């Protein structure tokens, strides 16, 4: 490789890394970012780094249960064969996909900036290939270090941190080189007139033929696992090992075993022995890539432009990479020029998500639930299914309430890229915040209403302790919960939206590639904050909501009508408290939005 | 219509705009010029109430942008150099959305002539991703004009437009000024500013170098020459460098 190109590449990568680090460190001058960094570093230390300073497998036995983690997770010596077999099969699948799926022409994944500077530069095509390979190597090294941090905690693995890191480097390098080599070879095939479907059929037929031939080679009694006896997993694992050691599959899997060798080596001598075959494979792959390089420039330019467009879309709309391009469709409801401006945000943000979140579909699904519950009530088999369905509905509701706000992001999180536009609108900050909250609130509340409906129709309390939960009380409780849900969801959504406004620098960082300890800290802080908000918000609401029940109890009113009335009044009181809390939160965030100066926050 | 008093914008220890004062009357078109990094975009964003000023006051139509932002924003429109649009809204849906925000009840009657004026009527049902850079720019401008603003801020309004589009944009700006709108526009295309602007404000490193009608500024920097153009004025005023 041309030495000047290597120097240029190293300069680019090292300078970029130094500047990235510098901008992160400068941001830590602000106390809020510093606090997040401290939390993130502490997380890394306690969960990853600390394991290096203490002896491996030294996690203590639980004195209460006698649970010994080391004894439980350390695999027996023959388990190495199982891990190798499963790993090799996984790699076979990944490598096969590389030959079946990829784009018609190799692109090498150049960025637009790299294309602008390198393609017109006086460098050979082979030097450009080397440029990408060395870039990939830097990524492989970082990836290997990170994966080592995770897998070093797997106590059933042999070896040590160094063998794991080197092992991961071999795996990543092989994947990377093979991807490029396959891309070049496929491009050559296209140029020779071999279309994608012919190629896919050829690859699938080859792998299929190897597997069929292996089954035919295997002894008649071992062509399928005998799971009739215990323990089934051990028998299944042994069957997989035997199969992968039978020719011709064993020949096909040899390279994958060689790549996995250093990572799975149980000790240093095995590691050193595994290095030779793994290195040989990497060298062969390298020669294959360099010698098979074909014209990739035109395809690389197209690919870089597409990536840039997708990135731009993601930055301005929150659309994720890999999402399909948006398609025009009618609005979710008619939006006239007059009326509350908040609904314009609801209308806009519903347009940015799937078209299934409409009132009509909500009603259709609700009808389906009612019909299904009626069938369950009348059918003997259905009666047996009801407890399971009720449990699943409750679990879904809880999951939606707690995790849903992280997924339903049709709010300020998606609109941060358009904050200048939003700030130019003649609306006070609280109205913009309220408008932005409406779409995810509507989506999550709709899902929760369906879960509550399912729960109400399938819950059949059993036992004397639940005798008071009569159908009228269940109906009242369901109605009360249904009324409370939108306010509760809005409260939950206030936290991630507060994150956007308080820490826009972090938020922008998480949307682009490359975060840092402070971003990990940020995520942890806001997960705790969301949980804490829910608890703190519910305490006063529940205290006030308990008053009608206390009065009914004090007055000796335990009849069903009295409890129904108490439930409805309590729900109303809880709703009032939650709405007051939401209003206060929206006002606070609105004031923060009005003061937000993104240009100052994002200055490196 | 626009009154700016001692406007200052700081980012930490860096001062992007320093003690800037000027006024623009209805019907005037002020060209904001200066080298890269002179603080033009920061000034425009402070004027439009998008970012808060560190100190000083900005009044739009008599409304203080800091204390009465909503009233001030009702009268203005800001057009950034890069059109910011929503990926999932078609051209027509963008206008619909903006109409609701500004409370433009009869927006369809206003939107159609705007779409025709900017020649994007045939793109009404297309998404921004299907539009060229110039078309996006036109859509952003149509959205800004929907509520009939009396104060217009343009940041590099001609970027991405073809020659015909530039001609139409210049005519549109001039016509709105004749109709009484107050316009501030920032651009590096000095010969185009010369055609459109009645006044010019030259910034350098966040400070005002010159302000007045083009004739007044030309007289100040003309060194007695009879025919001096804005480019000459700019180079003399800024000393031919960014620093």
């Amino acid at each position: 490789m041309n030495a000047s190109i290597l120097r240029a590449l190293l300069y680019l990568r090292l300078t970029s890394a130094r500047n990235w680090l510098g901008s992160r460190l400068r941001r830590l001058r602000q106390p809020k970012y510093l606090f997040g960094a401290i939390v993130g570093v502490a997380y890394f230390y306690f969960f990853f780094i600390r394991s290096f300073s203490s002896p491996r497998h030294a996690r203590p036995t639980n004195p209460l249960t006698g649970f010994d983690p080391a004894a439980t997770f350390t695999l027996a010596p023959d388990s190495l064969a199982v891990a190798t077999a499963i790993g090799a099969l996984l790699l076979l699948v990944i490598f096969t996909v590389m030959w079946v799926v990829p784009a018609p022409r190799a692109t090498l994944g150049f960025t637009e900036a790299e294309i602008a500077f390198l393609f017109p530069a006086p460098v050979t095509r082979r030097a450009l290939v080397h440029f990408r390979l060395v870039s990939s190597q830097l990524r492989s090294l970082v990836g290997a270090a990170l994966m080592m941090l995770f897998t070093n905690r797997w106590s059933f693995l042999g070896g040590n941190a160094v063998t794991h890191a080197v092992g991961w480097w071999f795996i990543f390098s092989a994947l990377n080189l093979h991807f490029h080599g396959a891309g070049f070879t496929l491009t050559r095939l296209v140029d020779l007139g071999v279309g994608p479907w012919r190629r896919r059929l050829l690859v699938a037929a080859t792998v299929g033929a190897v597997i069929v031939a292996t089954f035919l080679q295997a002894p008649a009694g071992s062509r399928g696992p005998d799971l009739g006896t215990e323990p089934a997993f051990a028998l299944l694992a042994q069957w997989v090992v035997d199969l992968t050691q039978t020719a011709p599959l064993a020949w096909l899997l040899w390279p994958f075993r060689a790549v996995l060798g250093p990572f799975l080596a149980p000790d240093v001598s095995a590691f050193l022995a595994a290095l030779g075959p793994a290195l040989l494979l990497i060298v062969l792959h390298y020669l294959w890539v360099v010698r098979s390089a074909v014209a990739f420039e035109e395809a690389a330019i197209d690919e870089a432009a597409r990536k840039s467009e997708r990135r731009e879309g993601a930055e301005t709309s929150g659309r994720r990479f890999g999402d399909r391009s948006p398609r025009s469709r009618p609005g979710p409801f008619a939006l006239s020029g007059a009326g509350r401006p908040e609904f314009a945000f609801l209308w806009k943000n519903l347009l940015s998500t799937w078209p299934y979140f409409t009132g009509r579909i909500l009603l259709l699904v609700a009808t389906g639930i009612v019909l299904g519950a009626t069938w369950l009530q009348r059918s003997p088999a259905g009666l047996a299914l009801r407890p399971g369905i009720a449990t699943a509905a409750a679990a879904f509701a809880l999951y939606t309430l707690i995790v849903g706000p992280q997924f339903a992001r049709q709010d300020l999180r998606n609109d941060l890229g358009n904050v200048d536009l939003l700030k130019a609108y003649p609306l006070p900050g609280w109205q913009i915040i309220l408008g932005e909250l409406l779409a995810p609130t509507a989506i999550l509340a709709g899902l929760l209403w369906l879960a509550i409906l399912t729960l109400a129709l399938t819950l059949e309390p059993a036992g004397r302790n639940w005798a008071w939960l009569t159908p009228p009380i269940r109906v009242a409780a369901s109605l009360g919960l249904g009324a409370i849900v939108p306010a509760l969801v809005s409260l939950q959504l206030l936290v991630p939206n507060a994150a956007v406004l308080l820490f826009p620098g972090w938020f922008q960082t998480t949307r682009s590639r490359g975060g840092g300890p402070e971003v990990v800290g940020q995520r942890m802080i806001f997960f705790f904050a969301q949980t804490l908000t829910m608890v703190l918000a519910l305490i006063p609401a529940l205290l006030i909501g308990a008053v009608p029940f206390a009065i009914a109890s004090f007055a000796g009113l335990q009849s069903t009508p009295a409890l129904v009335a108490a439930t409805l009044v309590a729900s109303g009181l809880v709703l009032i408290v939650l709405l007051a809390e939401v209003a206060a939160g929206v006002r606070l965030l609105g004031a923060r939005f009005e003061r937000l100066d993104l240009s100052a926050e994002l200055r490196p | 219509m626009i009154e700016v008093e001692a406007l200052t914008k700081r980012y930490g220890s860096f001062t992007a705009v320093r003690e800037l004062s000027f006024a623009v009357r209805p019907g005037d078109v002020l060209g904001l010029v200066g080298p890269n990094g002179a603080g033009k975009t920061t000034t425009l964003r402070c004027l439009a109430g998008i970012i808060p000023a560190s100190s000083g006051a900005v009044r739009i139509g008599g409304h203080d942008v800091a204390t009465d932002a909503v009233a001030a924003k009702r009268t203005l429109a800001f057009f950034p150099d890069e059109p910011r649009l929503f990926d999932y809204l078609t051209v027509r849906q963008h206008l619909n959305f903006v109409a609701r925000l500004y409370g433009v009840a009869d927006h369809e009657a206003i939107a159609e002539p705007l779409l025709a004026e900017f020649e994007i009527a045939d793109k009404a049902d297309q998404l921004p991703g299907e539009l060229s850079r110039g078309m996006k720019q036109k859509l952003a401008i149509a959205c800004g004009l929907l509520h009939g603003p009396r104060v217009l801020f343009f940041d590099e309004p001609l970027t991405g437009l073809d020659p015909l589009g530039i001609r139409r944009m210049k005519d549109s700006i001039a016509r709105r000024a004749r109709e009484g709108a107050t316009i501030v526009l920032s651009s590096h295309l000095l010969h185009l500013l010369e055609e459109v602007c009645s006044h010019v404000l030259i910034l350098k490193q966040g400070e005002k170098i010159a302000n007045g009608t083009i004739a007044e500024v030309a007289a100040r920097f003309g060194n007695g020459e009879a025919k001096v153009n804005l480019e000459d004025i700019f180079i003399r005023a800024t000393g031919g460098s960014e620093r």
Side-chain angles (χ1 to χ4, degrees), chain A residues 309 312-317 319 323-331 333-345 347-349 351-353 415 417-428 594-601 603, chain B residues 9-12 14 16 42 45 48-54 69-78 80 82-90 92-94 96-108 125-127 129-130 136 147:
Chain A
E309 192 184 316
E312 195 182 324
E315 281 168 3
T316 55
S317 70
R319 186 153 49 92
D323 283 3
R324 286 187 311 158
S325 296
R327 290 182 181 168
S328 60
R329 64 172 204 259
F333 52 86
L335 185 74
S336 67
R340 302 283 309 181
E342 294 92 330
F343 288 103
F345 288 94
W347 182 84
K348 170 184 85 67
N349 290 339
L351 263 172
S352 76
T353 187
D415 262 347
N418 289 320
V419 75
D420 278 6
L421 198 59
L422 301 182
K423 292 201 80 175
Y425 294 142
L427 301 173
E594 287 171 5
R595 290 195 306 273
L596 178 68
D597 184 351
L598 204 56
S599 59
E601 291 276 353
R603 281 181 84 83
Chain B
K9 178 64 185 177
R10 282 185 291 272
Y11 294 106
F14 171 71
T42 303
R45 292 167 78 177
I50 291 168
I51 57 173
S54 303
V70 173
K73 287 175 183 176
R74 283 199 184 284
T75 64
L76 66 85
F78 174 72
E82 191 65 35
R84 286 286 183 187
L85 300 166
F86 298 105
D87 274 5
Y88 292 87
L89 267 55
T90 63
R92 200 185 300 281
Q93 285 170 338
H94 268 91
N96 198 351
F97 175 67
V98 170
R100 181 65 165 252
L101 296 180
Y102 285 86
V104 184
D106 56 341
H107 68 94
E108 280 167 0
D125 295 317
Q126 291 186 7
L127 292 166
E130 300 167 270
K136 288 179 190 173
H147 67 286

Side-chain angles (χ1 to χ4, degrees), chain A residues 385-411:
Chain A
L385 287 173
R386 281 166 50 119
I389 292 173
T391 308
F396 176 77
L398 204 61
Y399 183 83
T400 304
L401 189 61
I402 294 170
V403 184
Q406 299 303 325
F407 291 100
R409 303 166 71 89
Q410 297 78 13
D411 49 29

Side-chain angles (χ1 to χ4, degrees), chain B residues 35-52:
Chain B
N36 292 326
K40 302 185 295 292
T41 298
T42 303
T43 301
L44 282 179
R45 292 167 78 177
C46 286
L47 297 186
I50 291 168
I51 57 173

Side-chain angles (χ1 to χ4, degrees), chain A residues 36-166:
Chain A
I38 291 170
V39 174
V41 168
Y43 173 78
F44 265 102
Y45 174 76
F46 284 109
F47 283 86
F48 299 115
I49 312 292
R50 200 172 58 154
S51 62
F52 289 105
S53 55
S54 59
R56 298 192 72 233
H57 313 309
R59 278 177 286 176
T61 301
N62 188 320
L64 296 174
T65 61
F67 178 78
D68 179 359
T72 308
F73 293 116
T74 303
L75 298 185
D78 63 344
S79 297
L80 179 62
V82 180
T84 307
I86 292 172
L89 284 172
L90 275 176
L91 286 181
L92 172 65
V93 171
I94 295 170
F95 278 59
T96 306
V97 167
M98 286 185 197
W99 287 91
V100 170
V101 172
R105 299 196 74 84
T107 63
L108 283 185
F110 283 95
T111 65
E112 280 196 314
E114 286 167 347
I115 287 169
F117 284 94
L118 294 176
F119 281 25
V123 291
T124 62
R125 181 176 291 157
R126 185 168 284 195
L128 288 175
V129 172
H130 276 113
F131 180 93
R132 285 310 301 165
L133 292 184
V134 176
S135 288
S136 309
Q137 275 306 303
L138 296 176
R139 277 206 302 276
S140 293
L141 286 171
V142 174
L146 286 174
M147 286 306 292
M148 179 269 290
L149 287 175
F150 282 96
T151 54
N152 199 50
R153 292 172 55 81
W154 296 355
S155 56
F156 62 83
L157 273 180
N160 54 42
V162 176
T163 63
H164 294 163
V166 175

